Amino acid sequence: MTNNKSFQAVVAGTGSYLPEKILTNQDLEKTLNTSDAWITERTGIHERRIASEEESASVMAAKAGKQALEEGGLSPENLDLIIVATSSPDVLFPSTACFVQNELHAFGAAAYDISAVCSGFIFGLSIAEQYLKTGRYENILLIGSEVNSRIVDWSDRATCILFGDGAGAMLLKRVEQEKPLGILSTHIYSDGSLSDLICVPGGIGKTGINKEDIDNKKYFIKMSGNATFKVAVKRMTDVIREALEFNGLSMEEVGILVPHQANQRIIRAVAERLEYPMEKVFMNIHKYGNTSGASIPIGVDEARRTGSIKPKQTSVLAAVGAGLTWGSAVIKW
Ligand code: UT7
Protein backbone atom coordinates (compact mmCIF):
# COMPACT_ATOMS: atom_id res chain seq x y z
CA MET A 1 0.00 0.00 0.00
CA THR A 2 1.31 3.43 -0.94
CA ASN A 3 -0.10 6.25 1.16
CA ASN A 4 2.51 8.97 0.84
CA LYS A 5 1.08 10.11 -2.50
CA SER A 6 -2.00 12.20 -3.29
CA PHE A 7 -4.72 10.10 -4.82
CA GLN A 8 -8.14 11.13 -6.12
CA ALA A 9 -11.17 8.89 -6.66
CA VAL A 10 -12.66 9.80 -10.03
CA VAL A 11 -15.69 8.53 -11.93
CA ALA A 12 -14.43 6.78 -15.08
CA GLY A 13 -17.80 5.54 -16.32
CA THR A 14 -21.46 5.13 -15.42
CA GLY A 15 -24.25 2.82 -16.54
CA SER A 16 -27.83 1.92 -15.80
CA TYR A 17 -30.40 -0.72 -16.59
CA LEU A 18 -34.17 -0.48 -16.31
CA PRO A 19 -36.49 -3.41 -17.02
CA GLU A 20 -38.69 -2.97 -20.07
CA LYS A 21 -41.98 -3.66 -18.34
CA ILE A 22 -43.79 -0.47 -17.30
CA LEU A 23 -46.48 -0.42 -14.61
CA THR A 24 -48.48 2.82 -14.75
CA ASN A 25 -50.66 4.44 -12.12
CA GLN A 26 -53.63 3.58 -14.35
CA ASP A 27 -52.61 -0.08 -14.18
CA LEU A 28 -52.57 0.14 -10.37
CA GLU A 29 -56.05 1.71 -10.36
CA LYS A 30 -57.35 -1.63 -11.69
CA THR A 31 -56.10 -3.68 -8.72
CA LEU A 32 -55.99 -1.22 -5.81
CA ASN A 33 -58.20 1.36 -4.15
CA THR A 34 -56.05 4.21 -5.46
CA SER A 35 -56.00 6.77 -8.26
CA ASP A 36 -53.54 8.27 -10.68
CA ALA A 37 -54.45 11.68 -9.26
CA TRP A 38 -53.57 10.66 -5.66
CA ILE A 39 -50.27 9.02 -6.61
CA THR A 40 -49.20 11.88 -8.87
CA GLU A 41 -50.10 14.59 -6.38
CA ARG A 42 -48.63 12.87 -3.28
CA THR A 43 -45.51 11.39 -4.84
CA GLY A 44 -44.84 12.69 -8.38
CA ILE A 45 -44.73 9.09 -9.66
CA HIS A 46 -46.50 8.26 -12.95
CA GLU A 47 -45.04 4.85 -13.66
CA ARG A 48 -42.37 2.41 -12.52
CA ARG A 49 -40.40 -0.47 -14.06
CA ILE A 50 -40.98 -4.08 -13.06
CA ALA A 51 -38.39 -6.82 -13.46
CA SER A 52 -39.26 -9.85 -15.59
CA GLU A 53 -38.91 -13.38 -14.21
CA GLU A 54 -35.38 -13.59 -15.62
CA GLU A 55 -34.30 -10.26 -14.12
CA SER A 56 -32.93 -10.25 -10.58
CA ALA A 57 -30.74 -7.77 -8.71
CA SER A 58 -27.58 -9.48 -9.97
CA VAL A 59 -28.78 -9.71 -13.60
CA MET A 60 -29.62 -6.00 -13.72
CA ALA A 61 -26.49 -5.05 -11.77
CA ALA A 62 -24.27 -6.88 -14.25
CA LYS A 63 -25.91 -5.07 -17.19
CA ALA A 64 -25.45 -1.64 -15.58
CA GLY A 65 -21.92 -2.59 -14.53
CA LYS A 66 -20.95 -3.64 -18.07
CA GLN A 67 -22.01 -0.23 -19.38
CA ALA A 68 -19.89 1.56 -16.79
CA LEU A 69 -16.88 -0.65 -17.61
CA GLU A 70 -17.34 -0.05 -21.34
CA GLU A 71 -17.47 3.71 -20.89
CA GLY A 72 -14.39 3.59 -18.69
CA GLY A 73 -12.59 1.30 -21.16
CA LEU A 74 -11.68 -1.17 -18.42
CA SER A 75 -11.57 -4.95 -18.80
CA PRO A 76 -13.43 -6.71 -15.97
CA GLU A 77 -10.30 -8.68 -15.05
CA ASN A 78 -8.67 -5.38 -14.00
CA LEU A 79 -11.27 -4.68 -11.34
CA ASP A 80 -10.03 -4.79 -7.74
CA LEU A 81 -13.40 -4.63 -6.04
CA ILE A 82 -17.11 -4.97 -6.82
CA ILE A 83 -19.57 -3.55 -4.32
CA VAL A 84 -23.31 -4.01 -4.74
CA ALA A 85 -25.69 -1.91 -2.68
CA THR A 86 -28.96 -3.83 -2.49
CA SER A 87 -31.80 -4.57 -0.10
CA SER A 88 -33.38 -7.07 -2.50
CA PRO A 89 -30.47 -9.49 -3.06
CA ASP A 90 -30.89 -12.58 -5.26
CA VAL A 91 -30.57 -14.85 -2.19
CA LEU A 92 -29.63 -14.39 1.47
CA PHE A 93 -26.12 -15.51 0.60
CA PRO A 94 -23.78 -15.60 -1.25
CA SER A 95 -23.72 -11.90 -1.99
CA THR A 96 -25.28 -10.47 -5.13
CA ALA A 97 -21.85 -8.97 -5.85
CA CYS A 98 -20.39 -12.50 -6.17
CA PHE A 99 -23.01 -13.35 -8.82
CA VAL A 100 -22.12 -10.12 -10.63
CA GLN A 101 -18.43 -10.98 -10.46
CA ASN A 102 -19.14 -14.35 -12.05
CA GLU A 103 -21.28 -12.81 -14.79
CA LEU A 104 -18.60 -10.22 -15.61
CA HIS A 105 -15.70 -12.70 -15.30
CA ALA A 106 -14.03 -10.23 -12.95
CA PHE A 107 -12.16 -12.90 -11.03
CA GLY A 108 -9.37 -10.59 -9.84
CA ALA A 109 -11.85 -8.62 -7.75
CA ALA A 110 -13.11 -9.03 -4.22
CA ALA A 111 -16.90 -8.74 -4.19
CA TYR A 112 -19.42 -8.01 -1.46
CA ASP A 113 -22.79 -6.41 -0.80
CA ILE A 114 -23.65 -3.55 1.49
CA SER A 115 -26.96 -3.07 3.22
CA ALA A 116 -27.94 0.55 3.74
CA VAL A 117 -31.13 0.41 1.65
CA CYS A 118 -31.91 3.73 -0.11
CA SER A 119 -28.64 5.26 1.16
CA GLY A 120 -26.66 2.20 0.04
CA PHE A 121 -25.03 3.82 -2.96
CA ILE A 122 -23.82 6.82 -0.93
CA PHE A 123 -22.45 4.42 1.69
CA GLY A 124 -20.74 2.55 -1.17
CA LEU A 125 -19.19 5.78 -2.45
CA SER A 126 -17.81 6.37 1.00
CA ILE A 127 -16.20 2.90 1.04
CA ALA A 128 -14.79 3.30 -2.48
CA GLU A 129 -13.45 6.73 -1.60
CA GLN A 130 -11.37 5.28 1.24
CA TYR A 131 -9.93 2.39 -0.79
CA LEU A 132 -9.00 4.65 -3.71
CA LYS A 133 -7.68 7.66 -1.80
CA THR A 134 -5.49 5.51 0.44
CA GLY A 135 -4.06 3.89 -2.69
CA ARG A 136 -5.22 0.39 -1.67
CA TYR A 137 -7.19 -0.21 -4.88
CA GLU A 138 -7.16 1.21 -8.40
CA ASN A 139 -10.49 0.20 -9.96
CA ILE A 140 -13.78 -0.27 -8.15
CA LEU A 141 -17.17 -1.06 -9.66
CA LEU A 142 -19.96 0.24 -7.42
CA ILE A 143 -23.50 -0.80 -8.29
CA GLY A 144 -26.94 -0.20 -6.81
CA SER A 145 -29.54 -2.76 -7.89
CA GLU A 146 -33.03 -3.51 -6.64
CA VAL A 147 -36.03 -5.70 -7.43
CA ASN A 148 -38.38 -3.93 -5.05
CA SER A 149 -41.36 -5.41 -6.91
CA ARG A 150 -40.59 -8.75 -5.22
CA ILE A 151 -40.50 -7.35 -1.68
CA VAL A 152 -43.53 -5.06 -1.76
CA ASP A 153 -46.95 -6.18 -0.64
CA TRP A 154 -49.03 -5.55 -3.76
CA SER A 155 -52.17 -5.27 -1.64
CA ASP A 156 -50.76 -2.41 0.49
CA ARG A 157 -51.56 0.80 -1.39
CA ALA A 158 -49.50 2.90 1.01
CA THR A 159 -46.23 1.28 -0.08
CA CYS A 160 -46.57 -0.67 -3.35
CA ILE A 161 -47.32 2.41 -5.45
CA LEU A 162 -43.96 3.92 -4.48
CA PHE A 163 -41.39 1.39 -5.56
CA GLY A 164 -39.79 0.25 -8.82
CA ASP A 165 -36.93 -1.91 -10.09
CA GLY A 166 -33.63 -1.04 -11.75
CA ALA A 167 -29.87 -0.80 -11.45
CA GLY A 168 -27.19 1.85 -11.78
CA ALA A 169 -23.40 1.61 -11.73
CA MET A 170 -20.27 3.70 -11.40
CA LEU A 171 -16.71 2.75 -12.27
CA LEU A 172 -14.41 4.56 -9.85
CA LYS A 173 -10.73 4.92 -10.53
CA ARG A 174 -7.68 6.01 -8.57
CA VAL A 175 -5.69 8.83 -10.16
CA GLU A 176 -2.53 10.33 -8.75
CA GLN A 177 -2.76 14.10 -8.53
CA GLU A 178 -2.83 16.85 -5.91
CA LYS A 179 -5.80 18.82 -7.19
CA PRO A 180 -9.11 17.53 -5.79
CA LEU A 181 -11.21 15.76 -8.42
CA GLY A 182 -13.93 13.12 -8.40
CA ILE A 183 -15.29 12.27 -4.95
CA LEU A 184 -14.55 15.40 -2.89
CA SER A 185 -16.34 14.16 0.21
CA THR A 186 -18.81 11.68 1.67
CA HIS A 187 -20.78 12.00 4.90
CA ILE A 188 -22.78 9.02 6.12
CA TYR A 189 -24.97 8.43 9.17
CA SER A 190 -27.26 5.86 10.77
CA ASP A 191 -29.82 5.91 13.55
CA GLY A 192 -30.94 2.42 14.52
CA SER A 193 -33.47 3.81 16.99
CA LEU A 194 -35.60 4.59 13.90
CA SER A 195 -35.39 1.07 12.45
CA ASP A 196 -39.19 0.61 12.66
CA LEU A 197 -39.93 3.45 10.23
CA ILE A 198 -39.22 1.39 7.11
CA CYS A 199 -38.40 -2.28 7.37
CA VAL A 200 -39.01 -5.82 6.23
CA PRO A 201 -39.87 -7.17 9.70
CA GLY A 202 -39.98 -10.91 8.99
CA GLY A 203 -37.37 -12.81 10.95
CA ILE A 204 -34.55 -14.71 9.29
CA GLY A 205 -31.62 -15.12 11.70
CA LYS A 206 -33.72 -13.82 14.59
CA THR A 207 -36.71 -16.17 14.55
CA GLY A 208 -36.05 -18.29 11.49
CA ILE A 209 -38.26 -18.08 8.44
CA ASN A 210 -41.64 -19.03 9.84
CA LYS A 211 -45.16 -19.57 8.59
CA GLU A 212 -46.70 -16.98 10.90
CA ASP A 213 -44.47 -14.24 9.52
CA ILE A 214 -45.19 -15.39 5.98
CA ASP A 215 -48.97 -15.40 6.60
CA ASN A 216 -48.74 -11.93 8.17
CA LYS A 217 -46.83 -10.66 5.10
CA LYS A 218 -43.83 -9.75 7.23
CA TYR A 219 -41.38 -10.50 4.46
CA PHE A 220 -42.55 -7.37 2.63
CA ILE A 221 -41.76 -3.67 3.07
CA LYS A 222 -43.62 -1.91 5.89
CA MET A 223 -43.39 1.85 6.21
CA SER A 224 -44.67 4.64 8.43
CA GLY A 225 -44.93 7.03 5.50
CA ASN A 226 -45.68 10.26 7.30
CA ALA A 227 -43.00 9.93 9.99
CA THR A 228 -40.44 8.86 7.37
CA PHE A 229 -41.33 11.84 5.22
CA LYS A 230 -40.60 14.35 7.98
CA VAL A 231 -37.34 12.79 9.08
CA ALA A 232 -36.23 12.40 5.44
CA VAL A 233 -36.60 16.12 4.72
CA LYS A 234 -34.64 17.13 7.80
CA ARG A 235 -31.82 14.61 7.51
CA MET A 236 -31.31 15.15 3.79
CA THR A 237 -31.21 18.94 4.19
CA ASP A 238 -28.77 18.73 7.11
CA VAL A 239 -26.39 16.31 5.42
CA ILE A 240 -26.28 18.42 2.24
CA ARG A 241 -25.50 21.52 4.33
CA GLU A 242 -22.72 19.58 6.06
CA ALA A 243 -21.23 18.57 2.69
CA LEU A 244 -21.27 22.17 1.45
CA GLU A 245 -19.63 23.45 4.61
CA PHE A 246 -16.97 20.73 4.52
CA ASN A 247 -16.00 21.71 0.96
CA GLY A 248 -16.38 25.47 1.47
CA LEU A 249 -19.06 25.54 -1.23
CA SER A 250 -22.19 27.63 -1.55
CA MET A 251 -25.37 26.19 -3.07
CA GLU A 252 -24.85 28.49 -6.11
CA GLU A 253 -21.63 26.64 -6.88
CA VAL A 254 -23.47 23.32 -7.08
CA GLY A 255 -24.25 22.55 -10.74
CA ILE A 256 -26.78 19.84 -9.99
CA LEU A 257 -28.35 18.12 -7.00
CA VAL A 258 -29.12 14.43 -7.52
CA PRO A 259 -31.33 13.41 -4.61
CA HIS A 260 -32.68 9.94 -3.83
CA GLN A 261 -36.00 9.70 -5.66
CA ALA A 262 -38.43 8.70 -2.88
CA ASN A 263 -41.08 11.38 -3.20
CA GLN A 264 -41.19 14.55 -5.29
CA ARG A 265 -42.57 16.46 -2.30
CA ILE A 266 -39.59 15.45 -0.14
CA ILE A 267 -37.22 16.66 -2.87
CA ARG A 268 -39.07 19.97 -3.27
CA ALA A 269 -39.08 20.53 0.49
CA VAL A 270 -35.30 19.93 0.66
CA ALA A 271 -34.64 22.28 -2.29
CA GLU A 272 -36.83 24.94 -0.68
CA ARG A 273 -34.95 24.74 2.62
CA LEU A 274 -31.63 25.02 0.78
CA GLU A 275 -33.01 27.84 -1.40
CA TYR A 276 -31.86 25.84 -4.40
CA PRO A 277 -33.75 26.18 -7.73
CA MET A 278 -35.78 23.11 -8.75
CA GLU A 279 -34.51 23.51 -12.36
CA LYS A 280 -31.11 22.34 -11.07
CA VAL A 281 -32.51 19.35 -9.18
CA PHE A 282 -32.39 16.07 -11.09
CA MET A 283 -35.72 14.25 -11.21
CA ASN A 284 -36.76 10.96 -12.77
CA ILE A 285 -39.18 9.76 -10.09
CA HIS A 286 -42.09 10.19 -12.52
CA LYS A 287 -40.64 7.40 -14.70
CA TYR A 288 -39.17 4.96 -12.19
CA GLY A 289 -40.60 5.61 -8.70
CA ASN A 290 -38.36 4.76 -5.76
CA THR A 291 -35.67 2.29 -6.83
CA SER A 292 -33.99 2.35 -3.38
CA GLY A 293 -30.24 1.74 -3.65
CA ALA A 294 -30.37 2.07 -7.45
CA SER A 295 -31.97 5.50 -7.45
CA ILE A 296 -28.81 7.65 -7.12
CA PRO A 297 -26.67 5.84 -9.74
CA ILE A 298 -29.56 5.66 -12.23
CA GLY A 299 -30.03 9.41 -11.70
CA VAL A 300 -26.34 10.20 -12.13
CA ASP A 301 -26.11 8.07 -15.28
CA GLU A 302 -29.18 9.72 -16.83
CA ALA A 303 -28.00 13.18 -15.84
CA ARG A 304 -24.64 12.53 -17.52
CA ARG A 305 -26.17 11.08 -20.69
CA THR A 306 -28.68 13.92 -21.06
CA GLY A 307 -26.05 16.61 -20.43
CA SER A 308 -27.42 17.75 -17.05
CA ILE A 309 -24.05 16.85 -15.54
CA LYS A 310 -21.26 18.64 -17.36
CA PRO A 311 -17.48 18.34 -17.17
CA LYS A 312 -15.91 20.45 -14.38
CA GLN A 313 -19.30 20.79 -12.70
CA THR A 314 -19.74 20.02 -9.00
CA SER A 315 -22.65 17.73 -8.10
CA VAL A 316 -24.17 16.91 -4.74
CA LEU A 317 -25.79 13.50 -4.23
CA ALA A 318 -27.93 12.80 -1.15
CA ALA A 319 -30.14 10.03 0.18
CA VAL A 320 -32.17 8.86 3.15
CA GLY A 321 -33.34 5.31 3.69
CA ALA A 322 -34.30 2.53 6.04
CA GLY A 323 -32.07 2.01 9.04
CA LEU A 324 -32.45 4.94 9.36
CA THR A 325 -29.49 5.73 7.14
CA TRP A 326 -28.60 8.94 5.35
CA GLY A 327 -25.69 10.54 3.59
CA SER A 328 -24.32 12.89 0.97
CA ALA A 329 -21.48 12.89 -1.53
CA VAL A 330 -19.89 15.71 -3.49
CA ILE A 331 -18.41 14.89 -6.89
CA LYS A 332 -16.35 17.17 -9.11
CA TRP A 333 -16.52 16.01 -12.73
O1 UT7 B 1 -36.98 5.56 0.26
C1 UT7 B 1 -36.99 5.62 1.65
C2 UT7 B 1 -37.64 6.80 2.11
N1 UT7 B 1 -39.06 6.72 1.88
C3 UT7 B 1 -39.74 7.80 1.95
O2 UT7 B 1 -39.15 8.82 2.17
C4 UT7 B 1 -41.24 7.77 1.83
C5 UT7 B 1 -41.80 8.86 2.68
N2 UT7 B 1 -43.24 8.96 2.73
C6 UT7 B 1 -43.99 9.33 1.68
O3 UT7 B 1 -43.52 9.48 0.59
C7 UT7 B 1 -45.46 9.63 1.95
O4 UT7 B 1 -45.68 9.62 3.34
C8 UT7 B 1 -46.43 8.65 1.24
C9 UT7 B 1 -46.45 8.91 -0.24
C10 UT7 B 1 -46.04 7.22 1.53
C11 UT7 B 1 -47.86 8.88 1.76
O5 UT7 B 1 -48.24 10.22 1.54
P1 UT7 B 1 -48.88 11.09 2.72
O6 UT7 B 1 -49.21 12.39 2.15
O7 UT7 B 1 -47.92 11.04 3.87
O8 UT7 B 1 -50.20 10.31 3.00
P2 UT7 B 1 -50.69 9.64 4.37
O9 UT7 B 1 -49.90 8.44 4.68
O10 UT7 B 1 -50.82 10.70 5.43
O11 UT7 B 1 -52.15 9.19 3.96
C12 UT7 B 1 -53.16 10.15 3.63
C13 UT7 B 1 -54.39 9.39 3.19
C14 UT7 B 1 -54.78 8.26 4.12
O12 UT7 B 1 -56.19 8.20 4.17
P3 UT7 B 1 -56.98 8.83 5.42
O13 UT7 B 1 -56.46 8.11 6.63
O14 UT7 B 1 -56.63 10.29 5.41
O15 UT7 B 1 -58.41 8.53 5.09
C15 UT7 B 1 -54.27 7.03 3.41
O16 UT7 B 1 -55.02 5.88 3.73
O17 UT7 B 1 -54.15 8.79 1.91
C16 UT7 B 1 -54.49 7.40 1.97
N3 UT7 B 1 -53.64 6.67 1.04
C17 UT7 B 1 -53.95 6.49 -0.25
N4 UT7 B 1 -55.00 6.89 -0.98
C18 UT7 B 1 -55.02 6.56 -2.28
C19 UT7 B 1 -52.44 6.08 1.29
N5 UT7 B 1 -51.98 5.51 0.16
C20 UT7 B 1 -52.89 5.76 -0.80
C21 UT7 B 1 -52.98 5.43 -2.16
N6 UT7 B 1 -54.04 5.84 -2.86
N7 UT7 B 1 -52.02 4.74 -2.80
Side-chain angles (χ1 to χ4, degrees), residues 243-291:
L244 295 176
E245 203 173 305
F246 180 85
N247 290 289
L249 286 169
S250 67
M251 226 33 223
E252 290 85 70
E253 292 170 282
V254 175
I256 188 169
L257 171 63
V258 184
H260 168 50
Q261 309 281 309
N263 185 318
Q264 194 183 73
R265 289 187 298 134
I266 294 179
I267 297 169
R268 284 186 189 282
V270 170
E272 216 169 88
R273 278 162 178 72
L274 295 167
E275 296 180 24
Y276 192 65
M278 277 306 290
E279 307 84 74
K280 288 166 76 180
V281 179
F282 182 80
M283 288 278 226
N284 61 7
I285 191 168
H286 55 289
K287 295 189 289 184
Y288 308 137
N290 181 347
T291 56

Side-chain angles (χ1 to χ4, degrees), residues 107-150:
F107 296 111
Y112 59 81
D113 290 357
I114 53 169
S115 170
V117 200
C118 300
S119 311
F121 198 82
I122 302 281
F123 277 52
L125 280 173
S126 173
I127 296 168
E129 179 189 20
Q130 314 310 317
Y131 279 127
L132 296 169
K133 287 188 178 173
T134 56
R136 177 75 178 84
Y137 285 140
E138 193 174 349
N139 296 301
I140 298 178
L141 184 60
L142 173 62
I143 309 173
S145 186
E146 303 282 9
V147 271
N148 287 316
S149 63
R150 297 209 178 103

Side-chain angles (χ1 to χ4, degrees), residues 89 91-93 200-210 213 218-219:
V91 292
L92 194 53
F93 67 82
V200 175
I204 298 176
K206 197 173 170 187
T207 56
I209 296 169
N210 61 84
D213 280 356
K218 288 198 173 171
Y219 292 100

Side-chain angles (χ1 to χ4, degrees), residues 33-35 38-39 42-43 118 157-158 161-163 198 223 225-226 228-229 232 260 262-263 265-266 290 320-322:
N33 178 18
T34 191
S35 66
W38 191 96
I39 301 172
R42 299 290 179 116
T43 70
C118 300
R157 68 176 184 172
I161 55 127
L162 298 170
F163 294 95
I198 325 172
M223 181 170 71
N226 239 252
T228 307
F229 190 104
H260 168 50
N263 185 318
R265 289 187 298 134
I266 294 179
N290 181 347
V320 179

Side-chain angles (χ1 to χ4, degrees), residues 181 253-258 279-280 300-315 331-333:
L181 188 69
E253 292 170 282
V254 175
I256 188 169
L257 171 63
V258 184
E279 307 84 74
K280 288 166 76 180
V300 169
D301 185 52
E302 275 200 9
R304 288 184 73 228
R305 284 173 205 281
T306 55
S308 298
I309 289 178
K310 299 173 183 68
K312 299 192 176 153
Q313 200 182 52
T314 302
S315 311
I331 297 183
K332 185 160 172 59
W333 299 92

